[in-house]
Amino acid sequence: AQTVTQSQPEMSVQEAETVTLSCTYDTSESNYYLFWYKQPPSRQMILVIRQEAYKQQNATENRFSVNFQKAAKSFSLKISDSQLGDTAMYFCAFMMSSNQFYFGTGTSLTVIP
Amino acid sequence: NAGVTQTPKFQVLKTGQSMTLQCAQDMNHNSMYWYRQDPGMGLRLIYYSASEGTTDKGEVPNGYNVSRLNKREFSLRLESAAPSQTSVYFCASSPFSDEQYFGPGTRLTVT
């Protein structure tokens, strides 16, 4: 069975600082995709960043980057220059080759002014 | 281009009542999904449809049924609602091997 673990239920960061959210997963598949989603208070799920497992290069989207360690099955999200609008729940997600998704339990991030 | 739409946005049911949550997408995606979100539990997959004409159980299918009416629409039915089904329900769609696009969610309360 596939599992996704986010071990940090809550985190906080000062505005303009950098924060890293952790995610580990367990699978026997070799081809898969990993995602980070953001859920602000509006409840809308928004894609932050994606990573294909076959790509060794870590994905980057503006202030968001990942540290993908395939052997360790780790997929952490780094947010640089944190902004107040980054306050949200963040979910790590894993997609199998069958298109089935698994989500972690989320990390609630608060950016402090 | 509306993306993924869900109706209704809010619903209150009495125990034992039935209802259908509707979901539609206009992005020509093959796969569609239904999740429930509960505090501290993240999103849990109820059912998914990898393509038109197919449906499969997810992690928590008990008490639910689904219909993939056509490529655009994927409905979720509660035949006899129970308080344990109080949750926020999200529909999502995805092209093959790519990210999911989510609807705005339905907050369901069963009393």
Side-chain angles (χ1 to χ4, degrees):
Chain A
Q2 276 59 226
T3 59
V4 180
T5 303
Q6 294 180 248
S7 58
Q8 306 151 313
E10 295 181 357
M11 295 191 72
S12 61
V13 62
Q14 290 290 140
E15 195 175 4
E17 297 293 309
T18 295
V19 64
T20 298
L21 280 57
S22 301
C23 174
T24 58
Y25 58 95
D26 190 22
T27 183
S28 57
E29 295 209 347
S30 57
N31 288 327
Y32 50 87
Y33 294 77
L34 294 160
F35 305 88
W36 278 98
Y37 280 88
K38 168 185 176 181
Q39 187 181 41
S42 67
R43 222 168 56 197
Q44 181 68 50
M45 295 285 284
I46 302 163
L47 178 70
V48 174
I49 199 164
R50 67 193 291 261
Q51 174 83 42
E52 292 91 337
Y54 64 86
K55 287 189 179 178
Q56 292 187 329
Q57 187 171 6
N58 289 325
T60 299
E61 287 287 342
N62 301 315
R63 298 182 296 108
F64 299 89
S65 61
V66 298
N67 183 3
F68 174 47
Q69 304 286 332
K70 190 172 184 179
K73 295 179 182 174
S74 171
F75 182 60
S76 60
L77 175 69
K78 185 171 84 170
I79 306 174
S80 304
D81 185 25
S82 296
Q83 301 175 359
L84 297 179
D86 295 335
T87 292
M89 282 289 288
Y90 287 82
F91 292 97
C92 178
F94 165 92
M95 187 186 83
M96 293 169 57
S97 56
S98 64
N99 253 29
Q100 189 166 352
F101 277 71
Y102 295 86
F103 284 81
T105 52
T107 295
S108 177
L109 177 68
T110 301
V111 180
I112 302 166
Chain B
N1 203 348
V4 180
T5 57
Q6 290 182 237
T7 55
K9 286 190 168 49
F10 302 92
Q11 184 71 48
V12 179
L13 290 178
K14 287 188 165 60
T15 296
Q17 287 185 318
S18 62
M19 79 159 297
T20 300
L21 305 184
Q22 306 285 355
C23 175
Q25 52 94 6
D26 61 2
M27 296 173 282
N28 202 35
H29 288 167
N30 289 317
S31 301
M32 296 186 75
Y33 308 79
W34 276 106
Y35 294 92
R36 59 178 289 171
Q37 184 178 25
D38 303 294
M41 303 287 284
L43 277 79
R44 292 184 293 169
L45 183 65
I46 304 170
Y47 271 93
Y48 69 106
S49 171
S51 60
E52 187 179 356
T54 68
T55 60
D56 288 284
K57 294 179 181 179
E59 184 184 353
V60 289
N62 291 344
Y64 305 94
N65 284 303
V66 290
S67 295
R68 183 75 184 266
L69 303 168
N70 47 55
K71 194 170 187 179
R72 289 187 65 248
E73 298 171 289
F74 188 40
S75 62
L76 177 72
R77 182 157 178 86
L78 287 69
E79 291 291 352
S80 179
S84 61
Q85 294 178 304
T86 293
S87 188
V88 179
Y89 291 85
F90 286 95
C91 177
S93 70
S94 172
F96 187 75
S97 294
D98 207 340
E99 68 181 273
Q100 291 193 327
Y101 296 77
F102 285 84
T106 295
R107 184 177 290 278
L108 175 66
T109 302
V110 183
T111 61

